[in-house]
Amino acid sequence: MDKSLEVLQRVGKELQVPLVTDIHESYQAAEVAEVVMSYQIPAFLCRQTDLLLAAGNTGKAVKIKRGQFMAPEDMQYAVSKVRSTGNENVCLTERGFSLGYHKFSSRYAWIANYETICPSGFLILPILLQQPGGQGGSSGGQRGVCSFPWLERRQLRGLMGFFIETHPEPAKALSDGPNLIPLHRMGDFLEMLKARMDFR
């Protein structure tokens, strides 16, 4: 982990950007806090009490990904665990439901529900194009429809931002390549999002 933190620290300094990264174990929270602005709690760990409390206790922002198996309204309990530490800087990330058949699905109504739980939320866009197990032993994707024609303005209300994954050459990416936004298309992609956002 020391080498990973060194890389993150170097990236933050060179690019002058705030950093966010996953933590998987509660003991990692304090050490990682010295490098990042925010933690991301992975979807499969979104109910881990010790992890949520450890992240909250650092005072850093905590971004919780909703597990594919969780009802959106039940994320209030994960948020409450972080807030119980006195840390109000918490938000939710919508990543869609996985119901089998190599598909993820998401609905704007779920995002609207988050506003009653905490005032800010993120939407992970590329992963909604993922096709879990769609390539046999690995996951596929639908990068060709990354314009998200189904994503309407009303679906973006209440969102604080987006979690977007990109790569210069998605076909060579070590993870999630089939659903990454190619780096050379990020400008157009962000312009599309900006045009649809309901800025308040």
Side-chain angles (χ1 to χ4, degrees), residues 7 11 16 23 26 31 42 48 52 59 73 84 89 107 115 122 126 143 147 151 155 161 169 186 189 194 196:
V7 171
V11 169
Q16 293 295 297
I23 56 172
S26 56
E31 189 172 355
Q48 289 294 114
L52 293 165
E73 58 268 25
S84 72
N89 198 2
R107 294 182 61 192
E115 289 190 273
F122 287 80
R143 196 183 311 121
S147 61
L151 195 64
Q155 292 174 273
E169 298 181 75
M186 279 296 291
F189 184 71
K194 183 179 179 181
R196 298 187 193 184

Side-chain angles (χ1 to χ4, degrees), residues 19-183:
L19 301 173
V20 57
T21 190
D22 285 14
I23 56 172
H24 293 185
E25 299 279 356
S26 56
Y27 74 85
Q28 297 171 341
E31 189 172 355
V32 174
E34 299 177 8
V35 177
V36 305
M37 176 195 73
S38 175
Y39 303 107
Q40 177 169 270
I41 304 299
F44 281 115
L45 300 176
C46 69
R47 298 178 64 203
Q48 289 294 114
T49 300
D50 60 340
L51 185 61
L52 293 165
L53 293 179
N57 278 323
T58 66
K60 295 285 185 176
V62 182
K63 187 167 76 72
I64 311 171
K65 289 173 71 174
R66 183 185 61 75
Q68 305 89 304
F69 49 87
M70 292 283 290
E73 58 268 25
D74 286 345
M75 290 304 294
Q76 64 180 299
Y77 306 114
V79 170
S80 294
K81 290 175 182 178
V82 175
R83 286 178 172 166
S84 72
T85 67
N87 187 347
E88 294 289 329
N89 198 2
V90 57
C91 63
L92 295 173
T93 300
E94 172 58 37
R95 47 105 73 250
F97 276 96
S98 177
L99 303 174
Y101 308 103
H102 305 151
K103 299 287 184 182
F104 272 110
S105 63
S106 185
R107 294 182 61 192
Y108 78 93
W110 303 337
I111 299 170
N113 286 343
Y114 290 160
E115 289 190 273
T116 65
I117 301 174
C118 65
S120 58
F122 287 80
L123 180 65
I124 303 181
L125 291 180
I127 204 166
L128 294 178
L129 301 176
Q130 190 181 68
Q131 296 176 321
Q135 291 184 339
S138 62
S139 292
Q142 297 174 290
R143 196 183 311 121
V145 294
C146 67
S147 61
F148 297 91
W150 47 264
L151 195 64
E152 302 176 16
R153 180 181 293 268
R154 64 178 179 171
Q155 292 174 273
L156 304 179
R157 291 194 179 106
L159 287 177
M160 183 179 180
F162 301 93
F163 191 91
I164 303 171
E165 297 170 307
T166 185
H167 194 281
E169 298 181 75
K172 295 182 179 179
L174 298 180
S175 176
D176 293 332
N179 51 272
L180 298 181
I181 307 297
L183 186 58

